[in-house]
Amino acid sequence: MILPQRRIIEGFPFSIIQFEEIDSTNRFLKDYGRRSPENGLIAMAGAQTAGRGRFGNTWHSPKGQGLYFSMLLHPVDPRSAMAVPLIAGVVLHKTLEEMFPAVKRSLDLKWPNDVLIERRKVAGVLVELEHLPAGTSLVVVGIGVNCNQNEFPAQLPGATSLRLHVGARVDPVSLLDAFLIRWHDYAGASDLNMGPESKSADAPMPSPAIAFSLSKAVADWKDRSTFWKDRAVRFNLNGETLEGATCDVAPSGALLVRLKSGRLKELLSGEVEWIRNI
Ligand code: BTN
């Protein structure tokens, strides 16, 4: 296969392959990464025909309407995997806040990493971890941002786009570059790359694997989110639909929800619906 031309951002360790259209940038980077796990490789597409969302959902990816990209990280300490979705949400939130001050006050993060504007989803993150036969692990961070949609299909009633709030067309390429620069500032910082977890004597890091501090990721995520405290939520746990109020994000990254009965539930993954009242 002849790949489209690559581009770099001057001074930053990313190489960007830009497709006009592809099935899924996550699918592409995972396949590519198995053969050639190139840390910092980015795949971006103008449109996706089979964009992947979390829990097997599809990500609506019409041409020119959104930013659709994936980032390959390798080798990653697999113990860091839980931190990556939180960090991606934090960096995305920071990028949107700085690029679009008009939406700053209505931006929010919904656990684990949906970015919301006025409680509607403007961006989502799909992180996939893969262990390679050589013994290392790669992570593909896939991000979709609704940029220029004026409307959404009926099956996406909770979606919104930047354009609907900013009132102007948003250039996906500028948004990608802004994200990558902030990702590098955040995730390339030495205190994060060598977080306390990876320094403990009884858990040597498989040097030189990339490791992220989960405690810093949780703290930064909580700083940017209103969702983790006193929000009425509904979720499914082991086939049971439960309702309760959020009360914290644990150091493990799990969302803690107090049920009406007073019992505390710890969610490690899953979809959580933000409801009006319990
Ligand atoms: C979610 O369900 O919230 C996550 C959506 C992630 C979508 C992005 S778009 C670019 C990348 N390629 C994919 O196939 N999915 C992610």
Side-chain angles (χ1 to χ4, degrees):
M1 175 171 57
I2 300 169
L3 292 174
Q5 271 201 331
R6 291 192 184 205
R7 144 179 109 78
I8 57 159
I9 308 173
E10 199 67 53
F12 290 88
F14 301 107
S15 183
I16 303 164
I17 303 178
Q18 195 159 334
F19 296 91
E20 251 179 65
E21 183 181 284
I22 196 169
D23 54 346
S24 154
T25 54
N26 264 42
R27 195 281 308 151
F28 169 79
L29 266 197
K30 269 177 83 179
D31 285 355
Y32 189 97
R34 280 184 203 118
R35 296 188 305 271
S36 174
E38 204 179 310
N39 185 44
L41 182 62
I42 312 294
M44 179 195 181
Q48 294 182 120
T49 53
R52 296 182 188 171
R54 294 170 68 226
F55 311 112
N57 294 328
T58 51
W59 186 258
H60 184 59
S61 313
K63 184 175 174 185
Q65 303 289 292
L67 168 60
Y68 320 115
F69 77 98
S70 303
M71 170 168 59
L72 178 58
L73 304 177
H74 177 269
V76 175
D77 181 336
R79 293 168 294 183
S80 288
M82 188 71 189
V84 176
L86 297 173
I87 295 171
V90 166
V91 175
L92 203 44
H93 185 283
K94 181 174 167 62
T95 306
L96 297 183
E97 174 186 278
E98 290 176 0
M99 280 190 85
F100 308 106
V103 300
K104 181 175 172 154
R105 280 216 294 253
S106 49
L107 271 175
D108 210 341
L109 285 173
K110 180 163 114 28
W111 186 89
N113 51 19
D114 288 349
V115 184
L116 310 182
I117 298 179
E118 291 176 11
R119 290 177 61 154
R120 290 175 179 273
K121 181 161 169 171
V122 72
V125 180
L126 173 67
V127 174
E128 300 188 75
L129 170 72
E130 181 141 334
H131 304 295
L132 301 181
T136 56
S137 302
L138 67 76
V139 164
V140 171
V141 185
I143 295 184
V145 184
N146 299 327
C147 292
N148 294 313
Q149 289 93 335
N150 284 317
E151 54 191 12
F152 288 88
Q155 67 270 25
L156 297 174
T160 193
S161 74
L162 287 168
R163 186 182 197 153
L164 290 172
H165 298 270
V166 173
R169 225 194 114 68
V170 171
D171 173 30
V173 175
S174 311
L175 185 53
L176 171 63
D177 289 7
F179 173 88
L180 292 177
I181 289 166
R182 286 164 183 80
W183 175 273
H184 184 256
D185 282 354
Y186 187 103
S190 54
D191 61 332
L192 189 73
N193 254 330
M194 298 290 284
E197 295 91 331
S198 58
K199 282 184 188 149
S200 84
D202 56 346
M205 196 175 72
S207 172
I210 302 164
F212 300 107
S213 163
L214 183 56
S215 49
K216 176 167 166 48
V218 169
D220 291 342
W221 190 94
K222 283 172 69 176
D223 274 353
R224 289 180 176 273
S225 170
T226 71
F227 180 77
W228 57 273
K229 196 151 176 47
D230 298 331
R231 293 286 177 253
V233 291
R234 183 181 299 134
F235 57 97
N236 195 285
L237 199 61
N238 307 324
E240 201 186 352
T241 301
L242 299 169
E243 290 184 358
T246 59
C247 52
D248 207 350
V249 176
S252 63
L255 181 68
L256 303 182
V257 180
R258 176 86 55 199
L259 302 185
K260 279 185 265 186
S261 65
R263 272 167 48 225
L264 198 61
K265 286 283 175 190
E266 189 172 332
L267 294 178
L268 278 164
S269 69
E271 194 61 76
V272 181
E273 189 189 346
W274 184 345
I275 55 179
R276 294 267 159 201
N277 295 303
I278 301 176

